[in-house]
Amino acid sequence: MAKQTWKPGNMVYPLPAVMVSCGDKEGKTNIITIAWTGTICTNPAMLYISVRPERYSYNMLKESGEFVVNLTTEALAKATDYCGVRSGRDVDKWKETGLTRGKANELLFAPIIEECPVNIECKVTEIKELGSHHMFMAEVVSVQVSDEYMNETGKFCLNETGLMAYSHGEYLSLGKQIGTFGYSVKKKRN
């Protein structure tokens, strides 16, 4: 297989497309779509989001020190895109998308997005100024999940929510299962 060499760049795809909700101490709230997000640590539970300082939500995040990562689904694709291409300086994204502000369990300023199947409440522990983006590292302080995706045994069926991913400028559905953790070394039953 022939290869081309490109200039250095981020080509780690696909990524989760998430809507991050945030708020300030005056009561203003906003939603920003972010693909630069991921897990940092299991214990304590930590994640990060990376945001450009010129974004409207940046000062809300920095001043309040909290945010909610709301997992998005195929049904929320249009709202997810809208919240990524319109600025909260110019429009009320809640009103324009029809999304519902909900109460976070542990946060004072950032609401959850009710329509999202998972809401991950976070408190900022550190901000790393890295260049074009600043990384907000945060501890997860609460997680809300939709009852709609709980099965009869009490298992949360996350993969039935219709999660979507972002890859190289496109939103994608996640597709079919190709294996489970550890399947490559699992002994076959006779």
Side-chain angles (χ1 to χ4, degrees):
M1 174 187 319
K3 299 272 186 176
Q4 295 181 12
T5 300
W6 291 1
K7 69 177 183 169
N10 292 321
M11 290 295 289
V12 179
Y13 289 114
L15 299 163
V18 301
M19 290 188 282
V20 172
S21 48
C22 55
D24 65 18
K25 295 176 181 177
E26 286 76 47
K28 288 185 285 191
T29 62
N30 193 44
I31 306 166
I32 181 172
T33 298
I34 292 182
W36 307 133
T37 185
T39 300
I40 295 176
C41 187
T42 300
N43 190 13
M46 294 183 71
L47 57 76
Y48 77 92
I49 60 171
S50 290
V51 181
R52 290 181 181 266
E54 60 269 18
R55 298 291 187 233
Y56 176 70
S57 294
Y58 180 87
N59 286 328
M60 287 182 186
L61 295 162
K62 190 171 183 178
E63 291 169 12
S64 72
E66 61 181 47
F67 58 88
V68 180
V69 172
N70 302 276
L71 299 188
T72 58
T73 64
E74 293 175 35
L76 296 169
K78 191 169 183 178
T80 302
D81 183 64
Y82 185 89
C83 290
V85 297
R86 293 290 183 245
S87 173
R89 285 185 189 95
D90 305 322
V91 297
D92 178 343
K93 295 180 189 180
W94 299 97
K95 179 181 173 192
E96 295 301 317
T97 60
L99 295 172
T100 309
R101 253 181 295 253
K103 178 80 175 102
N105 289 327
E106 299 292 329
L107 305 179
L108 297 175
F109 309 108
I112 68 166
I113 299 173
E114 290 284 351
E115 290 79 6
C116 293
V118 178
N119 315 99
I120 307 166
E121 300 178 30
C122 302
K123 288 193 178 179
V124 176
T125 59
E126 186 178 350
I127 302 171
K128 287 196 155 296
E129 298 182 9
L130 300 171
S132 63
H133 289 71
H134 293 182
M135 179 187 288
F136 289 79
M137 293 186 284
E139 186 168 353
V140 175
V141 296
S142 183
V143 177
Q144 295 186 43
V145 297
S146 297
D147 288 338
E148 168 182 0
Y149 299 102
M150 300 298 290
N151 73 13
E152 60 282 344
T153 65
K155 178 185 175 190
F156 182 62
C157 301
L158 179 62
N159 294 330
E160 293 177 14
T161 64
L163 292 174
M164 65 178 201
Y166 177 82
S167 183
H168 207 65
E170 298 176 347
Y171 300 104
L172 306 168
S173 61
L174 292 183
K176 65 179 179 157
Q177 181 189 61
I178 57 173
T180 59
F181 181 76
Y183 83 102
S184 65
V185 296
K186 195 174 200 176
K187 292 185 179 182
K188 295 183 183 192
R189 294 182 188 189
N190 292 331

